[in-house]
């Protein structure tokens, strides 16, 4: 690259300097190191052309300097500075490159300095002499493989363009880089698999192949960060503002005057002649028939397929009565209660409104409640409007198209034929004895296995034992001095070999042997209860670390032991129900407030308490043992689960469909059970048939508190409700699987008074006779025979 003459000359005027004719070399050497003279190579032809011009320019320049009185001039020749010093001490000009010009002194000093600099570090050029004896700088060849910051392209980018890589299948390379070197084919097949197996998957590995290079495509850290942000539903770009300020394209300021005050042009008020011509052209086309009016496409009728349909209610005009005239069913006219401003006598009070809201949708007489509004515009939208219209469409769709004569059928003949209650005797019908003498509610009662004694417990914390046939109280004991601990449940141990009563007051469970029987039976009963103390004294831990016991078995004290209270079991929560196993060895208690300790199984002969469930789904309500199999039933609020005790697994989940289960009882055969719920329903389940109820009975107005089967072989069961009534049913179960159970309602027993919305709280059957006893919130027990 040659420089012009005007570009090579540069004049610099400085002060006089005491030093003159001083040759100064560049200290930094940046012109040589950075390759500024890379293109100024030794070119003989160019040098010959420039030598004569340079000599003339220098002579002219020297003459101008002498005539003008300046003393210093610096000329840069190929990286050398020629300084002519006068009186000035610093040059302010910029040197200009003059190739091919240097005197002998300068050449000698430059050669010496080049030799010394080569010793220190290796340069990228060497100095020689040309034919005229001038210094000649010959630079080394440029290595095509160099690092540069001028481009962001990858170092090994393939430069084959749009040529597919399949053209290089027969070659060991896949293309060429920017320097013309071959790009080797990446490893594939077994070598690549072995390499991948030997190393871990690198960060950014995608498993894809770059079509341009044939190498695995890897993602950078920035791309991985973008993908992470997209997966986390974040903004992909950092610093992106999701809510930029609103740009108001139109000002919100209302201008008083228009933008232009010029008057409206006349053409805006004169009809357009061009539009009139086009309208007339369209009118002529319509008159000539060239433009036809739009006609909707004809609908495809069923006549094409040979079917003809008729709308029998297309004409709603009244017609005389005829067998072929079937009028559309009409809706009844609205009444006063459907008005937006009904009379006051049609508006429900608070109790009626609450009863309507608590009732099931199936049991409601009306689908709406009459509501009063001041004006028609305050009437809100009817939420069941679409449902009523849909039901109306169903009425029209399912309406009979053919007039049929009504059949003379007795409605009672459609009901299933049930036996008469007179044929199903005996069952309790009247109240024979009333047991009085208590304060507060009687929460629980039970008849002993012999059928002679009746035990009851209530809010006063006292257990009373009555003679069943005479109604005489023979024994009583107070379990706790605390008035808050009411007796929630009392149950007799099954079997006639011992006379043991269990009762629960708060968190305490007592095993009692009442001193009202013969001494021999009382001694045997005490031996059965005291047998567990010997087992506990011998110990059965075998050196294992002791865990916190589920319950604490202790003696209540000498005073209570003399009264017949032999064992006191302290549990973690309040006990609500007690259920004995048929053999009298085990009994279960349920504490609804407990979580892991809600259900506990106790062993009488070992004085041992076990918690069979670590975590129970739902709030436990009651539990019972199967009458003949090792199966344990646990009832929660909505489900009843049966467990196999021998295999310790869940057998079945019974779904009564009740909102809150209050109690349940098993049939003596073990294949049927009845469930009572607080939502006033009594449900019969056939366990061999389905987990769903076989029958749902609704005979009560309030919650059902207790249900009970007769365990003495009579096909009877009963339920007790808060409405103060007891329902007696006949429930016959046969061994034939093809025949379902027969359920017949027999009698409604009334006699208990309702106190604070509580009626009959518990019920029990005599072990042999068709008698039942009931405990009420009015503080009385009644025997029904």
């Amino acid at each position: 690259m040659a420089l012009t003459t005007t570009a090579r000359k540069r004049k610099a005027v400085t002060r006089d300097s005491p030093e003159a004719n001083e040759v100064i070399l560049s200290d930094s050497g940046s012109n040589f190191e950075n390759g500024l003279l890379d293109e100024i190579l030794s070119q003989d032809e160019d040098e010959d052309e420039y030598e004569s011009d340079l000599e003339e320019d220098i002579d002219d320049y020297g003459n101008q300097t002498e005539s003008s009185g300046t003393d210093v001039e610096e000329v840069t020749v190929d990286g050398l500075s020629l300084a002519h010093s006068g009186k000035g001490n610093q040059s302010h000009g910029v040197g200009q490159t003059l190739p091919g010009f240097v005197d002998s002194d300068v050449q000698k000093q430059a050669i010496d300095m080049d030799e010394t600099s080569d010793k220190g570090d290796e340069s990228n050029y060497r100095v020689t002499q040309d034919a005229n004896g001038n210094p000649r700088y010959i630079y080394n060849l440029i290595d095509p493989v160099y690092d540069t910051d001028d481009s962001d392209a990858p170092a090994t980018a393939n430069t084959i363009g749009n040529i597919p890589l399949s053209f290089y299948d027969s070659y060991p390379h896949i293309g060429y880089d920017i320097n013309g070197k071959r790009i080797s084919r990446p490893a594939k097949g077994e070598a690549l698999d072995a390499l991948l197996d030997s190393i871990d998957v690198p960060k950014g590995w995608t498993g894809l192949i770059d079509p341009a290079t044939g190498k695995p495509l890897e993602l950078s850290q920035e791309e991985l960060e973008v993908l992470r942000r997209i997966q986390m539903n974040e903004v992909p770009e950092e610093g992106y503002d999701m809510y930029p300020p609103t740009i108001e394209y139109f000002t919100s300021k209302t201008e008083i005057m228009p933008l232009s005050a010029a008057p409206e042009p006349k053409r805006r008020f004169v009809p357009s002649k061009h539009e009139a011509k086009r309208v007339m052209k369209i009118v002529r086309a319509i008159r000539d028939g060239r433009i036809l009016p739009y006609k909707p496409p004809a609908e495809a009728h069923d006549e094409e397929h040979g079917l003809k349909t008729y709308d029998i209610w297309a004409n709603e005009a009244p017609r005389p009565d005829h067998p072929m005239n079937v009028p559309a069913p009409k809706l009844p006219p609205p009444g006063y209660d459907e008005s937006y401003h009904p009379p006051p006598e049609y508006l429900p009070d608070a109790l009626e409104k609450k009863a309507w809201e608590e009732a099931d949708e199936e049991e409601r007489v009306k689908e709406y409640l009459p509501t009063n509004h001041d004006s028609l515009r305050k009437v809100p939208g009817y939420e069941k409007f679409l449902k009523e219209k849909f039901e109306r469409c169903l009425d029209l769709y399912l309406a009979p198209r053919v007039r049929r004569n009504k059949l003379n059928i007795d409605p009672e003949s459609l009901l299933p034929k049930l036996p008469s209650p007179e044929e199903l005797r005996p069952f309790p019908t009247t109240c024979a004895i009333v047991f009085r003498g208590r304060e507060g509610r009687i929460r629980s009662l039970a008849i002993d296995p012999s059928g002679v004694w009746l035990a009851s417990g209530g809010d006063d914390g006292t257990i009373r034992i009555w003679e069943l046939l005479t109604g005489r109280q023979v024994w009583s004991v107070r379990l706790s001095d605390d008035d808050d601990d009411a007796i929630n449940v009392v149950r007799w141990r099954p079997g006639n070999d011992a006379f043991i009563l269990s009762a629960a007051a708060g968190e305490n469970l007592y095993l009692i042997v009442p001193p009202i029987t013969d001494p021999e039976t009382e001694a045997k009963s005490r031996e059965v209860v005291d047998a567990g103390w010997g087992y506990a004294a011998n110990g059965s831990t075998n050196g294992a670390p002791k865990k916190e016991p589920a319950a604490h078995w202790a003696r209540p004290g000498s005073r209570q032991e003399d009264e017949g209270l032999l064992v006191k079991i302290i549990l973690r929560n309040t006990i609500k129900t007690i259920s004995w196993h048929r053999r009298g060895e085990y009994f279960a208690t349920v504490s609804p407030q407990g979580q892991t300790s809600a259900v506990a199984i106790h062993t009488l002969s070992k004085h041992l308490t076990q918690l069979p469930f670590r975590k129970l789904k739902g709030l436990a309500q009651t539990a019972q043992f199967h009458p003949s199999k090792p199966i344990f039933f646990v009832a929660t609020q909505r489900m009843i689960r049966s467990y196999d005790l021998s295999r310790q697994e869940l057998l079945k989940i019974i779904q009564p469909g009740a909102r809150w289960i209050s109690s349940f009882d098993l049939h003596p055969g073990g294949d049927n059970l009845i469930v009572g719920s607080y939502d006033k329903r009594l449900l019969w389940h056939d366990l061999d048939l389905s987990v769903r109820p076989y029958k749902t009975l609704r005979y009560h107005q309030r919650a059902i508190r207790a249900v009970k089967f007769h365990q003495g072989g009579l096909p009877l069961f009963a339920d007790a409700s808060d409405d103060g009534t007891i329902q007696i049913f006949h429930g016959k179960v046969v061994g034939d699987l093809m025949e379902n159970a027969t359920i017949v309602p027999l009698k409604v027993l009334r006699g208990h008074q309702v106190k604070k919305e509580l009626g009959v709280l518990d019920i029990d059957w005599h072990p042999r006779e068709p008698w039942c006893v009931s405990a009420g919130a009015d503080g009385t027990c009644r025997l029904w025979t």
Side-chain angles (χ1 to χ4, degrees), residues 257-303:
M257 300 296 293
L259 297 180
S260 176
E264 294 290 338
K266 182 181 179 180
R267 63 178 178 273
R268 297 189 181 179
F269 303 97
V270 178
S272 174
K273 294 183 179 180
H274 176 70
E275 291 182 357
K277 290 181 180 180
R278 294 194 53 127
V279 171
M280 290 305 299
K281 186 177 181 180
I282 296 174
V283 170
R284 294 191 194 97
I286 293 175
R287 290 175 179 175
D288 297 342
R290 289 181 282 110
I291 297 179
L292 299 177
Y294 172 77
K295 292 183 179 180
E299 297 181 358
H301 297 285
D302 295 336
E303 297 179 359

Side-chain angles (χ1 to χ4, degrees), residues 25-298:
L25 295 177
S26 177
D27 294 337
S28 61
S30 60
N31 292 340
F32 303 116
E33 293 177 1
N34 297 334
L36 296 178
L37 301 178
D38 289 347
E39 296 183 359
I40 308 175
L41 302 179
S42 177
Q43 299 180 1
D44 296 340
E45 296 178 358
D46 295 339
E47 292 176 356
D48 294 341
E49 292 177 0
Y50 289 134
E51 282 180 0
S52 58
D53 296 338
L54 288 172
E55 291 176 358
E56 295 177 358
D57 294 339
I58 292 172
D59 293 340
D60 295 341
Y61 178 74
N63 296 333
Q64 292 175 3
T65 305
E66 292 175 359
S67 61
S68 61
T70 57
D71 297 332
V72 180
E73 187 175 36
E74 178 181 340
V75 181
T76 302
V77 181
D78 292 336
L80 299 177
S81 298
L82 307 180
H84 301 280
S85 301
K87 296 179 181 180
N89 53 5
Q90 186 176 0
S91 175
H92 298 279
V94 180
Q96 187 70 29
T97 303
L98 300 175
F101 172 77
V102 68
D103 59 3
S104 59
D105 295 337
V106 173
Q107 176 183 359
K108 185 175 182 180
Q109 292 179 5
I111 294 173
D112 294 338
M113 292 191 66
D114 291 338
E115 291 176 357
T116 56
S117 62
D118 292 341
K119 295 178 181 179
D121 54 347
E122 183 178 357
S123 303
N124 62 342
Y125 67 92
R126 54 191 177 89
V127 181
T128 59
Q129 293 184 356
D130 58 0
N132 296 326
N134 297 326
R136 179 182 179 185
Y137 297 91
I138 301 177
Y139 293 88
N140 298 331
L141 295 177
I142 299 175
D143 189 4
V145 180
Y146 63 91
D147 295 333
T148 177
D149 296 335
D150 296 340
S151 176
D152 294 335
T156 59
N158 201 345
T159 59
I160 61 175
N162 295 330
I163 299 176
L165 289 178
S166 59
F167 286 17
Y168 290 88
D169 290 344
S170 59
Y171 298 95
H173 59 281
I174 61 172
Y176 304 89
D177 59 4
I178 193 171
N179 298 317
K181 292 187 177 182
R182 296 178 179 178
I183 300 176
S184 301
R185 186 181 301 278
K188 293 183 179 180
E190 298 178 355
L192 181 59
D193 295 340
L195 179 61
L196 292 177
D197 294 339
S198 62
I199 62 176
D200 296 335
V201 177
K203 189 174 183 180
W205 182 80
T206 61
L208 304 177
I209 301 299
D210 189 357
T213 61
K215 294 183 179 180
L217 180 62
E218 296 183 358
L219 300 179
S220 62
Q221 184 65 27
E222 292 78 7
E223 294 171 340
L224 291 175
E225 181 65 20
V226 171
L227 290 178
R228 187 193 68 79
R229 289 174 175 269
I230 293 175
Q231 290 179 350
M232 299 299 293
N233 292 332
E234 298 179 359
V235 180
E237 182 180 357
E238 180 126 5
Y240 175 76
D241 188 7
M242 298 180 61
Y243 307 99
T246 305
I247 300 176
E248 297 185 358
Y249 294 96
F250 303 96
T251 178
S252 58
K253 183 179 179 181
T254 304
E255 299 291 344
I256 300 176
M257 300 296 293
L259 297 180
S260 176
E264 294 290 338
K266 182 181 179 180
R267 63 178 178 273
R268 297 189 181 179
F269 303 97
V270 178
S272 174
K273 294 183 179 180
H274 176 70
E275 291 182 357
K277 290 181 180 180
R278 294 194 53 127
V279 171
M280 290 305 299
K281 186 177 181 180
I282 296 174
V283 170
R284 294 191 194 97
I286 293 175
R287 290 175 179 175
D288 297 342
R290 289 181 282 110
I291 297 179
L292 299 177
Y294 172 77
K295 292 183 179 180

Side-chain angles (χ1 to χ4, degrees), residues 492-508:
W492 292 95
R493 176 184 178 273
N496 296 322
D497 57 339
F499 189 71
I500 301 173
L501 176 66
S502 60
E507 299 177 357
N508 301 325

Side-chain angles (χ1 to χ4, degrees), residues 3 55 88 148 159 218 239 272 286 311 405 521 552 618 623 653 662 706 745 783:
L3 301 176
E55 291 176 358
T148 177
T159 59
E218 296 183 358
S272 174
I286 293 175
D311 186 2
N405 295 327
T521 306
H552 180 64
I653 299 178
S662 61
L783 172 63

Side-chain angles (χ1 to χ4, degrees), residues 332-358:
Y336 290 105
D337 56 348
E338 297 185 39
S339 173
Y340 73 92
H341 188 60
E345 58 269 16
Y346 288 93
L347 296 176
D349 54 8
L351 295 178
E352 292 177 351
K353 185 176 181 180
K354 182 179 179 181
W356 185 86
E357 292 175 352
E358 293 179 354

